[in-house]
Amino acid sequence: MGMTDAKRTNSAKTEELDVIIVGAGFAGLYLLDRLRGLGMAVQVFEAGEGPGGVWYWNCYPGARVDSPGPMYQFSRDDLWRDWKFSELYPSWQEIREYFHYVDKKLGLSRDIRFGRRVNEAEFDPVSNRWTVRSSDGSVTNARYFVLCTGLGSKPYIPELPGLSDFAGEHHHTALWPQQGLDLAGKRVGVIGTGASGVQVAQEAAAVATHLTVFQRTPNLALPMRQRKLDDDTIRRMKEDYPRAYQKRRTTFGGFDYEPIEKSASEVSEDERRATFERIWEIGGLAPWVGSFNDLLANEQSNRAAYDFWRDKTRVRIKDPALAEMLAPTEPIHPYGTKRPSLEQNFFDIFNRPNVSLVDLRKTPIERVTRGGIKTAAGEHDLDVLVLATGFDAVTGGLTSIDIRGTGGRTLKEKWAKGVQAHLGMAAAGFPNLLFVYGPQSPNAFANGPTCAELQGDWIVQLLNHLRQRNFTRVEATVPAEEAWRAQVIEIASGTLFPRADSWYVGANVPGKPREMLSFAGGLSTYMAKCNESAERGYEGFTIG
Ligand SMILES: Cc1cc2nc3c(=O)[nH]c(=O)nc-3n(C[C@H](O)[C@H](O)[C@H](O)COP(=O)(O)OP(=O)(O)OC[C@H]3O[C@@H](n4cnc5c(N)ncnc54)[C@H](O)[C@@H]3O)c2cc1C
């Protein structure tokens, strides 16, 4: 059989599309709707059995968002007008309902293949198309391959000797059983005190016979100030939505507020304290991204913010030894350089007789046993073990797909020593491949839905530009991605972020290159740079 015949046979079996999108979270759904609206043949492939991205997987007790509900949705008025979250910080159940609502309203599911995990993708430089192979045996071919795999789609479980010996149930928070798991009356262990650990611990403390929290690093968690929203409140809030959605497109973090236009170092002690107090009362992420503009760059200002947080937190914890473990006198890392979580009663649960805290820095885990966890100090008996151990964040979702570009090299190989990604959306050697919420974009520093819309719009504009000119190929250049990487590193070096062993810099996964994975210059600056490239005929890309 000649080459042409082979191709013909192959294409008879292979579905041909304009665009394959991977992931049915905010980013994938936004792009599906927009690209379909342009008349393109688009499909979304999603490993989960329903829409929502991280909100499909993260159904552990207490899982909820840290962005306020009004900001954690699409900005389209035909969507927000008919939707209401019942709490300021909605739970995973309500966010899932929201996704089903959006799906129904926009008729998205007909172009989504659920339960289909993309395993491999290969670029053909002759046809300028991608061939994509998935877990269900399907082979699909498309001009463009757009990865909307998010920053938290690859759970990370550390080496825990003996884990398979554990007689009870153990689950990673992002692989929580869809049918749920009742923690009532159980002896529960939670490893990890990041966002998920804080949330699940709060729930477990209320129902478990005993809760043991295993902490490596204190979480500088901020008060959530959760509240129920009645119809009248929602109606009043909605009057402000058009302004807020307009505003969020222009801010540092994709929320409807900015840092204060003052540094903590330039104001008097009294003003600093009064400002910290005011912002503390607002709560949420405001004490992080809505405070003085030098908190994440100036060591003294940062220390002032830390001391304020520490004093506010310690008064809630009765036992001085526990207070020192949870809110140490001296900071373990600068304030805000690890993602602060939002807590409702996290620090109060340690006053309860059924809750204990283990400091893994002092007494590390030796092994998991049949009956629990053995640390250097003794054994903790457990019925359920919750692994709130986070993610191979930002890059993991992309590098776990075997993606082969022009040189036969995989994306994982290309990034083995560090990410190269022009504008955080495209990589040289991988034509017609684009990614949203990916490395070297503002991802972790920006509200998810805002990023999905803004990066999504940019990609839509690019693909439309190519189509209108009958181009079939777009690829980032090597000099452009090198310059972008240098810029990402330079911006980060002006901040305190590199000082913490966080997932922001890949430090939570052994062997992962230590590098800033996010563009720390703010979403508005980032989009200005993306738009500048577009205005200059997509500078930094070769198009043909
Ligand atoms: C517990 C948790 C809480 C969060 N809270 C907030 C918050 O308060 N505010 C905020 O702004 N952000 C938050 N985030 C970040 C969150 O990732 C974004 O808000 C948002 O979900 C990003 O949407 P996305 O569409 O880019 O990706 P995701 O929502 O991550 O969706 C990616 C999808 O891709 C799918 N996928 C990945 N790989 C494959 C594959 N190979 N084949 C098929 N499908 C695949 C996954 O199954 C997943 O459904 C949170 C994340 C987590 C995990």
Side-chain angles (χ1 to χ4, degrees), residues 22-28 45-48 52-55 57-58 60 65-67 72 116-118 148-153 196 339 391 397 401 437 446-449:
V22 187
F26 277 109
F45 296 171
E46 166 56 58
V54 295
W55 304 104
W57 299 101
N58 290 267
Y60 58 85
V65 77
D66 282 348
S67 297
Y72 204 67
R116 183 181 285 190
R117 180 173 289 281
V118 172
C148 298
T149 49
L151 60 74
S153 59
S196 307
R339 175 73 135 89
F391 300 91
I401 305 174
Y437 220 57
N447 183 39

Side-chain angles (χ1 to χ4, degrees), residues 388-403:
T389 48
F391 300 91
D392 178 354
V394 189
T395 50
L398 304 175
T399 54
S400 52
I401 305 174
D402 188 314
I403 304 173

Side-chain angles (χ1 to χ4, degrees), residues 169-304:
E169 285 200 47
H170 67 270
H171 299 285
H172 187 284
T173 42
L175 297 169
W176 201 256
Q178 291 290 329
Q179 71 278 15
L181 172 63
D182 191 2
L183 302 179
K186 308 246 171 67
R187 295 166 303 174
V188 178
V190 177
I191 301 184
T193 52
S196 307
V198 166
Q199 292 179 339
V200 80
Q202 291 176 151
E203 301 297 312
V207 296
T209 318
H210 195 87
L211 166 68
T212 311
V213 176
F214 296 88
Q215 168 188 285
R216 184 173 59 182
T217 310
N219 189 326
L220 279 54
L222 301 169
M224 176 176 266
R225 311 242 183 267
Q226 173 70 303
R227 58 191 162 100
K228 292 260 179 239
L229 303 175
D230 59 30
D231 283 353
D232 202 38
T233 308
I234 293 171
R235 190 186 45 73
R236 273 186 283 110
M237 285 167 89
K238 282 191 176 180
E239 285 171 11
D240 188 46
Y241 277 16
R243 180 208 63 83
Y245 289 131
Q246 198 50 41
K247 174 85 180 166
R248 82 174 188 182
R249 303 174 69 86
T250 65
T251 62
F252 183 95
F255 295 100
D256 56 340
Y257 55 78
E258 288 275 32
I260 303 168
E261 281 177 15
K262 271 185 187 176
S263 64
S265 49
E266 76 185 68
V267 299
S268 69
E269 173 74 40
D270 282 354
E271 183 176 344
R272 190 160 54 235
R273 174 127 205 128
T275 306
F276 282 154
E277 285 284 0
R278 182 175 58 75
I279 294 168
W280 190 256
E281 284 316 306
I282 298 170
L285 294 173
W288 185 49
V289 283
S291 189
F292 291 109
N293 61 14
D294 64 339
L295 287 196
L296 298 168
N298 177 311
E299 211 159 321
Q300 275 169 334
S301 303
N302 186 281
R303 180 62 200 247

Side-chain angles (χ1 to χ4, degrees), residues 133-153:
R133 292 186 160 76
S134 305
S135 55
D136 56 357
S138 63
V139 183
T140 319
N141 187 281
R143 172 78 62 217
Y144 302 106
F145 185 41
V146 183
L147 298 173
C148 298
T149 49
L151 60 74
S153 59

Side-chain angles (χ1 to χ4, degrees), residues 307-350:
D307 289 351
F308 182 85
W309 170 84
R310 180 200 59 204
D311 295 348
K312 283 281 184 200
T313 304
R314 283 179 82 114
V315 292
R316 291 167 55 187
I317 309 158
K318 289 192 186 126
D319 177 339
L322 281 173
E324 185 59 25
M325 278 158 72
L326 290 159
T329 312
E330 290 300 313
I332 292 214
H333 54 75
Y335 173 85
T337 53
K338 274 192 158 198
R339 175 73 135 89
S341 307
L342 301 191
E343 56 86 30
Q344 295 175 271
N345 65 342
F346 180 67
F347 296 109
D348 312 302
I349 63 172
F350 296 96

